[in-house]
Amino acid sequence: MPILVCGSLAFDTIMTFEGRFAEQILPSQLHILNVSFLVPGLRREYGGCAGNIVYGLRQLGAQAVPLAMLGNEDGQEYLDRMRALGVDVGHVSTTAESYTAQAMIMTDRDNNQITAFHPGAMSLAHQNPVPSRKDIAVAIISPDGRDAMLTHARQLHDAGVPFVFDPGQGLPMFNGEELRQFIALASWVTLNDYEAQMLCERTGLTLDEIAAQVRGLIVTLGAQGCDVWDGSAKKEHVAGVAAAEIVDPTGCGDAFRAALLHGLEQGWPLRRCAELGNRIGATKIASRGGQNYTFAP
């Protein structure tokens, strides 16, 4: 059955600076900062959390239905790519008011990064409601416009669609009360270890207390794998999978979440979902960008 993916579709422009930022920026002159970096390396990737998750679902052979907003002037390219992947784009809307969300990422030789993010059409994603479909098996609320995340979570809960709450880098947008409400509405919660600590601090809840309110909780730990609470306050560790090569971590978390959704739709226990997530994450990290790997289940 189809899996609804609520979140962002974005273009990532990735630039490589061959020097070090620290050698170009004078700490004593930060108040009059005016610097320019020569970036010989540049590439453009398809990105956004929803786009990366949808790509991962298609690698697993799952049906993916993105719920997202694109810019009218530059979004056709992304729509064409989704269609080529066999994705149902019937619930991806476009707006003439904004460009598609874009991230401009510059990396120096020490892997330090300077990122500028333009939310663009993502800020209007709340205008695109959760579809009234009876065939949606499970959904995910991934990073998106603030209003969209709040609205779509409520709409999914009211429609009786179980969903994963995956706040990601959008977590700081919400206060403790709003985050507690997300947890109350969600069926599962997934975070990385840093986000888990922030969620606990903002809500005043421990991970065991969060796990007691949902069907399952997953906290990813990078190369170390993840911790899983499956229907109880008892934590279980799932070991990571060694990567053949470490090239680019961009999109590894989204690949993991694609596996999680696929497993949940299949009715797997959370541990098995996590094991597949660790495998696909180890595959993704060996390629650049969030949507350039191939995975044969």
Side-chain angles (χ1 to χ4, degrees):
M1 294 177 68
I3 297 167
L4 186 70
V5 182
C6 307
S8 62
L9 299 176
F11 293 113
D12 295 337
T13 300
I14 303 168
M15 298 161 281
T16 303
F17 173 55
E18 295 180 348
R20 293 184 172 91
F21 295 144
E23 297 172 348
Q24 304 292 317
I25 299 174
L26 301 175
S28 62
Q29 302 298 312
L30 288 177
H31 63 293
I32 53 170
L33 184 65
N34 187 356
V35 294
S36 177
F37 301 99
L38 177 66
V39 287
L42 184 148
R43 71 182 193 275
R44 194 171 190 237
E45 303 281 2
Y46 296 97
C49 292
N52 293 343
I53 293 170
V54 165
Y55 180 86
L57 286 168
R58 293 304 298 142
Q59 292 299 305
L60 292 163
Q63 296 184 56
V65 180
L67 180 68
M69 187 74 77
L70 291 168
N72 192 50
E73 289 194 28
D74 60 352
Q76 188 60 48
E77 177 186 344
Y78 214 137
L79 282 173
D80 291 343
R81 172 175 173 76
M82 291 284 103
R83 292 190 181 102
L85 290 170
V87 174
D88 177 355
V89 296
H91 303 293
V92 177
S93 299
T94 60
T95 174
E97 298 180 33
S98 304
Y99 287 102
T100 297
Q102 301 191 39
M104 281 67 73
I105 306 165
M106 183 163 52
T107 305
D108 74 359
R109 65 188 300 177
D110 294 329
N111 288 320
N112 297 307
Q113 289 187 330
I114 297 175
T115 301
F117 183 72
H118 171 65
M122 187 184 79
S123 300
L124 302 174
H126 60 282
Q127 298 177 4
N128 199 8
V130 167
S132 298
R133 293 176 51 161
K134 301 298 184 183
D135 61 339
I136 297 296
V138 66
I140 186 170
I141 298 292
S142 64
D144 204 350
R146 171 184 159 81
D147 291 343
M149 293 178 71
L150 290 165
T151 301
H152 292 158
R154 171 56 66 183
Q155 291 173 345
L156 286 168
H157 181 268
D158 290 348
V161 178
F163 72 89
V164 176
F165 176 48
D166 169 33
Q169 64 266 36
L171 196 154
M173 295 190 296
F174 304 102
N175 60 35
E177 181 179 351
E178 290 166 334
L179 291 168
R180 286 191 294 271
Q181 183 64 20
F182 275 120
I183 294 168
L185 297 174
S187 299
W188 303 273
V189 176
T190 181
L191 314 132
N192 65 28
D193 47 354
Y194 179 83
E195 294 157 1
Q197 182 178 344
M198 180 180 291
L199 182 65
C200 290
E201 289 178 355
R202 295 211 171 182
T203 61
L205 300 171
T206 66
L207 290 175
D208 287 345
E209 289 171 336
I210 293 170
Q213 296 186 44
V214 292
R215 297 190 201 176
L217 168 67
I218 295 180
V219 177
T220 58
L221 307 169
Q224 283 69 51
C226 58
D227 290 334
V228 171
W229 291 254
D230 192 359
S232 71
K234 183 179 179 181
K235 179 176 70 174
E236 182 180 10
H237 182 71
V238 181
V241 174
E245 186 179 9
I246 298 177
V247 175
D248 180 10
T250 303
C252 285
D254 297 327
F256 183 98
R257 281 144 183 79
L260 170 62
L261 290 165
H262 173 65
L264 291 174
E265 189 273 329
Q266 295 290 313
W268 294 356
L270 212 54
R271 180 183 178 88
R272 186 178 177 191
C273 299
E275 290 171 343
L276 179 61
N278 290 341
R279 284 180 54 206
I280 194 171
T283 299
K284 200 255 64 89
I285 204 170
S287 65
R288 294 198 179 277
Q291 299 181 29
N292 295 315
Y293 64 98
T294 56
F295 186 82

